[in-house]
Amino acid sequence: MITSNMQQNQLATPGTRVMIREVGPRDGLQNEKLILPAQIKIELIKRLVIAGITAIEATSFVSPRAVPQLSDAEAVLEGMHELASGVILSALVGNAAGVQRALGVRQPALQEIVVVVSASEAHNQANLKRSVAESLSGLDEICRLAAGRFKVRGAVATAFGCPSQGWISSGDVFRVIDSMMEAGIEEITLADTAGMGKPEQVKQLVGEVRERYPGVTLALHLHDTRGRGLENARAGVIAGVAVVESSVGGLGGCPFLPGAVGNVSTGKLVGMLHEMGVETGIDLQRLSQCVWFLEEILVRRLDG
Ligand code: ZN
């Protein structure tokens, strides 16, 4: 009986559904040496939608000098006019100037922006060139600019550890979420930017965040730097996250974190969730076709 109870604990309740948010077009492609043309990015996103993915972080509005791979954000989003209804496209912004660019996009395809602030002072300085306090003080303006046009999501980077700063406390994470909620943000992503998280830690932090912020929609953004991406996703889903972020073929990393490798692979994640009895609505065969499409373009093997 003890064994069967333990096994039941490991599995999701039958019928559980988790949304997969595909971040390959943003987090993945920003780390490729090859800068892909907008048309290829548009084609990739359309193929991901055909595979059943309904939430895609498509690009980012950050400095084209810092991230030249995504300097065509407007062109990519304006090429998205034929997407099926029910597909949610988002774009990352670092500050109010990013929101201004997003507001200039002519097509209504972009529905969400995600503002990222790091729990780590050192990573926030490297990634956004300002202190955590400065980033937090800019949240009100970002939400004010976006009001009536975009839903704003918040992402807490390095929530499970930072190679420059080391241990991140729950307090470091709560400080960022508190400010995000005060600014009116109701969906939060806990990002394991450096892939330092462990399943126990994911379970603990997800539990603490759900208890402290009961109404919040919670997502996990996982990197596979230490090979724990899938285990961490499993722990997060059992602990009750509604969304998991991953990238097609395991693309990704962080240009401001040396050695950070890709996001957890969408194919492997979906395969694991289906085995757990969790529904995603994603067709693995069609998803494989997206990986092959990218492998041909990048001329290398990808993950999953
Ligand atoms: Zn990432």
Side-chain angles (χ1 to χ4, degrees):
M1 272 318 281
I2 291 171
T3 313
S4 111
N5 278 343
M6 278 171 66
Q7 279 170 348
Q8 287 208 337
N9 245 341
Q10 295 298 304
L11 294 169
T13 319
T16 301
R17 196 175 178 92
V18 167
M19 179 189 267
I20 303 296
R21 185 179 295 121
E22 169 62 44
V23 298
R26 195 279 298 169
D27 207 355
L29 296 184
Q30 76 177 11
N31 288 285
E32 289 296 325
K33 285 193 187 76
L34 194 62
I35 299 184
L36 301 186
Q39 274 312 321
I40 297 283
K41 296 172 182 172
I42 292 166
E43 179 64 25
L44 171 64
I45 292 169
K46 288 182 174 171
R47 287 178 185 228
L48 290 165
V49 170
I50 290 170
I53 291 178
T54 56
I56 302 176
E57 202 166 291
T59 186
S60 70
F61 291 102
V62 294
S63 158
R65 272 193 315 279
V67 187
Q69 293 90 335
L70 302 182
S71 60
D72 58 359
E74 286 86 349
V76 170
L77 291 166
E78 286 172 4
M80 288 300 157
H81 41 84
E82 288 160 16
L83 283 188
S85 66
V87 176
I88 300 164
L89 292 187
S90 53
L92 185 141
V93 301
N95 54 30
V99 188
Q100 296 284 14
R101 275 182 66 197
L103 287 166
V105 174
R106 287 190 295 273
Q107 287 291 337
L110 182 66
Q111 293 163 50
E112 292 181 353
I113 55 173
V114 52
V115 56
V116 60
V117 180
S118 188
S120 150
E121 198 62 54
H123 181 256
N124 208 69
Q125 286 285 358
N127 192 23
L128 299 164
K129 314 285 178 264
R130 74 190 82 129
S131 69
V132 172
E134 284 169 313
S135 282
L136 296 179
S137 70
L139 290 174
D140 281 341
E141 192 191 1
I142 286 172
C143 290
R144 188 179 53 73
L145 286 169
R149 174 78 186 270
F150 303 121
K151 173 180 168 182
V152 183
R153 293 191 284 106
V156 188
T158 64
F160 298 94
C162 169
S164 315
Q165 192 165 306
W167 172 252
I168 299 291
S169 71
S170 313
D172 295 326
V173 175
F174 296 159
R175 174 191 179 199
V176 176
I177 301 179
D178 283 347
S179 292
M180 287 176 168
M181 304 279 286
E182 275 166 31
I185 295 170
E186 288 165 354
E187 182 166 342
I188 301 290
T189 298
L190 299 173
D192 189 11
T193 315
M196 291 169 70
K198 298 183 182 123
E200 268 308 303
Q201 191 188 358
V202 170
K203 182 182 167 196
Q204 173 84 19
L205 186 61
V206 167
E208 285 178 36
V209 170
R210 288 191 72 203
E211 196 175 310
R212 188 176 162 108
Y213 311 96
V216 77
T217 301
L218 195 58
L220 265 186
H221 173 104
L222 299 169
H223 283 259
D224 208 19
T225 318
R226 297 186 182 179
R228 294 200 201 101
L230 283 178
E231 284 175 81
N232 288 341
R234 183 183 177 90
V237 167
I238 291 169
V241 297
V243 183
V244 183
E245 298 183 353
S246 59
S247 82
V248 59
L251 288 171
C254 176
F256 310 103
L257 269 181
V261 303
N263 296 98
V264 65
S265 142
T266 304
K268 285 186 173 172
L269 174 66
V270 169
M272 182 193 74
L273 291 175
H274 289 180
E275 277 174 16
M276 288 170 69
V278 175
E279 293 170 19
T280 65
I282 294 170
D283 179 329
L284 276 171
Q285 190 60 36
R286 287 181 172 162
L287 189 63
S288 299
Q289 288 163 6
C290 300
V291 177
W292 299 331
F293 170 75
L294 264 177
E295 283 182 334
E296 261 183 37
I297 288 159
L298 299 173
V299 204
R300 65 182 171 88
R301 291 300 304 274
L302 296 169
D303 188 14

